[in-house]
């Protein structure tokens, strides 16, 4: 019969369309999750555990003789050598409300945060899509930073200084 299509070809076409739709669904879901994270950050201020909203908890903070800062090693939109004062803690991400704004397509809107605790500075990933790396290792829990540690978010590299 001249009008009959090969059943295998039809099955492959539908399979390709299903994979394409699943991929688009994944992209949309990831974008919505990032948007929700940005919307919830101001609303949740002060409702989570101490310092969860990116601000230090009362009574925490580095000793007076430290001057913690992040130095730009490589970042889109920032000159190498630029420094960000993170004494009071800081949010890192693409959101305009971030203290350290990262213009990187691999960065989430609310990507990571730095916070002082017991005289030391800690970094924590905020459930970002692509992860936060310190000295080449992906963060899985909050980590105390040491002088010279390199923080990488996407293609952006920052060096911790005290």
């Amino acid at each position: 019969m001249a009008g009959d299509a090969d059943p295998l070809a039809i099955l492959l076409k539908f399979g390709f369309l299903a994979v394409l739709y699943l991929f688009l669904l994944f992209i949309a879901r990831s974008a919505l999750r990032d948007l929700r994270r940005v919307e919830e950050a101001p609303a949740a201020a002060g409702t989570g555990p101490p310092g969860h909203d990116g601000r230090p908890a009362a009574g925490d903070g580095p000793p007076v003789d430290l001057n913690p800062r992040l130095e730009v090693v490589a970042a889109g939109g920032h000159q190498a050598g630029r420094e960000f004062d993170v004494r009071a803690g800081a949010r890192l991400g693409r959101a305009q409300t971030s203290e350290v704004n990262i213009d990187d397509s691999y960065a989430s809107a609310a990507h990571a945060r730095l916070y002082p605790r017991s005289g030391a500075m800690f970094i924590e990933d905020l459930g970002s899509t692509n992860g936060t790396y310190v000295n080449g290792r992906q963060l899985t829990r909050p980590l105390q930073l040491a002088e010279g540690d390199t923080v990488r978010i996407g293609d952006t590299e920052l060096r911790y200084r005290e």
Side-chain angles (χ1 to χ4, degrees):
M1 297 189 191
D4 287 337
D6 183 18
L8 182 60
I10 292 172
L11 185 63
L12 287 173
K13 286 179 186 178
F14 280 114
F16 176 75
L17 284 174
V19 168
L20 180 65
Y21 282 119
L22 286 173
F23 176 73
L24 291 174
L25 179 66
F26 172 78
I27 297 293
R29 190 169 153 232
S30 178
L32 286 174
R33 186 177 20 199
D34 260 2
L35 288 173
R36 262 190 237 115
R37 207 174 285 136
V38 170
E39 290 171 359
E40 290 172 1
T47 60
H52 182 71
D53 61 353
R55 294 182 304 216
D60 286 338
V64 178
D65 60 333
L66 288 183
N67 180 23
R69 58 203 184 280
L70 287 178
E71 176 189 4
V72 174
V73 175
H78 297 294
Q79 287 287 99
R82 177 177 180 190
E83 291 186 344
F84 294 93
D85 182 359
V86 294
R87 223 174 307 179
R91 285 181 303 261
L92 292 76
R94 271 194 344 255
Q96 294 300 320
T97 57
S98 298
E99 286 82 8
V100 180
N101 187 272
I102 298 176
D103 186 19
D104 190 314
S105 59
Y106 293 105
S108 297
H111 199 96
R113 75 177 181 118
L114 293 172
Y115 60 95
R117 175 86 23 114
S118 303
M121 189 61 70
F122 288 81
I123 186 167
E124 172 182 37
D125 185 87
L126 297 175
S128 64
T129 305
N130 295 308
T132 303
Y133 295 81
V134 175
N135 300 327
R137 293 185 149 174
Q138 186 170 7
L139 287 180
T140 55
R141 57 186 165 77
L143 175 75
Q144 182 177 342
L145 289 172
E147 170 70 30
D149 280 348
T150 302
V151 176
R152 185 172 57 81
I153 295 174
D155 294 327
T156 300
E157 279 192 36
L158 306 160
R159 185 163 295 121
Y160 177 71
R161 298 287 186 207
E162 293 181 337

